[in-house]
Every structure is written in C-alpha cells, then in structure tokens.
Amino acid sequence: MSNMEKLQRNSKKCDKEERAEKGKVKKAIQKGNTEVARIHAENAIRQKNQSINFLRMSARVDAVAARVQTAVTMNQVTKSMAGVVKSMDATLKSMNLEKISALMDTFEHQFETLDVQTAQMEDTMGNTTTLTTPQNEVDLLMHEMADEAGLDLTMELPQGQTGSVGASVASTEQDELSQRLARLRDQV
C-alpha cells in the first residue's frame, strides 16, 4: 500500500470519527448537556480538519510523484531525441525521403508525449486550492445538530476568528488525475 493510499485511508477514518462525534453532539444536546455537546463538537471539527490535512498531504505526495515521473520521462525523451537527431543527420546526408519522414514522425510523437506530460504536471499542481474555515464551526455544528434533533439551543455562543486551512481537490478529481497518469505511463 502506497503512502498516498494510507493518507486517504486515514482521511476516511477521520470522516467516520467526525460523524460519530456529531452523533454524540446531538445526544448531548437532547439530554440538555451543552458542555459535553461542545466537547464533542470540538472533536468533530478537529476530526474534519485532520481529514482535510490527510487529503492535502495525499495530494502533495501525488504531485511529487508526478514531478519525479515527469523528470524521469523527460530524461528518457531527451535521450531518445538525441538518438533521433543523430539518425536525422545520417538520413539527411543520404537524402532518403522515406527515412526522413519516418524520423520526423518519431520526433513529433516524442514532443507530443512531452507536451502531454507537462500539461498533466501543470494540472496536478494547479488543482490545489485554499479554503477559509471559520473558528466558530463548533457553534454552528452544535446549532445544526440541535436543529436536526428538533431542539432549540438557546445560549450565547462566542464568535470565533477566521483562519486559513488548505484543502486538496475532490476525490473524483484525484481519481481522474491518477487515471491520466496511468495512461501516460502506459504510453511511455
């Protein structure tokens, strides 16, 4: 199992823990115990943030792997292009049009491969986004759970500050990038 898969598994585990903590918030509110509800809400928010952190790290690992793969492939393409240039030199000296055409096709194919790999790398790096996550999520979660439970949570809740938390692309985009990378590896 790769490190990326382990990070994604840990993210899913945190999501599961977050759902469990939300259930505990709802039960504590139903029992009228707002302090316990607040503790569970804080735990739920922490699990959510941890899940996001695992996904972000997974995306970073994937981006690094793509960079390494691109570097390896570029090295292979460079060596192939050097061979093509030598062959072109010899073919041009003989002026055999069929050989020249075949060599040009090979040369163009290698440039197309390089373009696809460069575009894939740029897409991978460009898909990292930043989200703003308010600190008062605990209070909002408590009110949400109270609403779901059909209860009225009337208490003064302090307003929090806002901080930035990085996030990765959605898992569907991640799957799409992985599939593109696999296709690219099959081409080389």
Side-chain angles (χ1 to χ4, degrees):
M1 177 181 299
S2 71
N3 287 330
M4 193 172 71
E5 290 169 339
K6 288 178 186 175
L7 291 168
Q8 289 173 349
R9 181 188 290 171
N10 285 338
S11 175
K12 288 178 184 176
K13 182 179 175 184
C14 288
D15 287 340
K16 184 178 176 182
E17 289 293 323
E18 176 192 5
R19 288 189 296 274
E21 289 294 332
K22 283 182 177 180
K24 292 176 184 178
V25 169
K26 192 183 293 186
K27 287 179 184 176
I29 291 172
Q30 287 171 338
K31 291 179 182 177
N33 195 342
T34 56
E35 278 304 309
V36 171
R38 178 173 292 282
I39 291 168
H40 289 298
E42 289 170 357
N43 289 343
I45 299 301
R46 188 177 61 251
Q47 290 295 335
K48 176 183 175 186
N49 290 336
Q50 191 64 30
S51 173
I52 291 169
N53 288 337
F54 280 129
L55 285 176
R56 182 188 314 120
M57 188 59 68
S58 173
R60 289 179 71 189
V61 167
D62 188 42
V64 169
R67 280 185 178 172
V68 169
Q69 182 61 39
T70 299
V72 167
T73 303
M74 285 182 155
N75 187 30
Q76 292 170 345
V77 169
T78 303
K79 288 179 182 177
S80 295
M81 286 171 41
V84 168
V85 169
K86 287 179 186 176
S87 298
M88 286 174 89
D89 213 19
T91 304
L92 286 172
K93 286 179 183 175
S94 72
M95 290 305 289
N96 182 334
L97 293 180
E98 287 179 21
K99 285 185 178 179
I100 291 172
S101 178
L103 281 171
M104 290 307 292
D105 289 344
T106 302
F107 197 70
E108 288 172 2
H109 175 73
Q110 289 180 356
F111 268 112
E112 288 171 4
T113 301
L114 184 61
D115 287 343
V116 167
Q117 290 169 347
T118 302
Q120 192 272 336
M121 180 64 176
E122 289 170 358
D123 286 347
T124 300
M125 296 310 293
N127 282 332
T128 302
T129 61
T130 302
L131 297 176
T132 301
T133 306
Q135 294 296 320
N136 63 355
E137 286 183 11
V138 171
D139 299 331
L140 294 174
L141 179 60
M142 289 178 64
H143 282 290
E144 182 183 315
M145 293 295 108
D147 289 344
E148 283 183 21
L151 300 171
D152 184 28
L153 186 63
T154 54
M155 59 182 202
E156 276 300 312
L157 299 175
Q159 296 297 317
Q161 300 173 344
T162 325
S164 282
V165 176
S168 70
V169 295
S171 63
T172 55
E173 290 177 18
Q174 199 69 16
D175 292 342
E176 180 183 313
L177 288 174
S178 297
Q179 290 171 357
R180 286 176 61 193
L181 182 59
R183 284 193 303 267
L184 186 61
R185 286 181 182 145
D186 291 342
Q187 289 178 356
V188 177

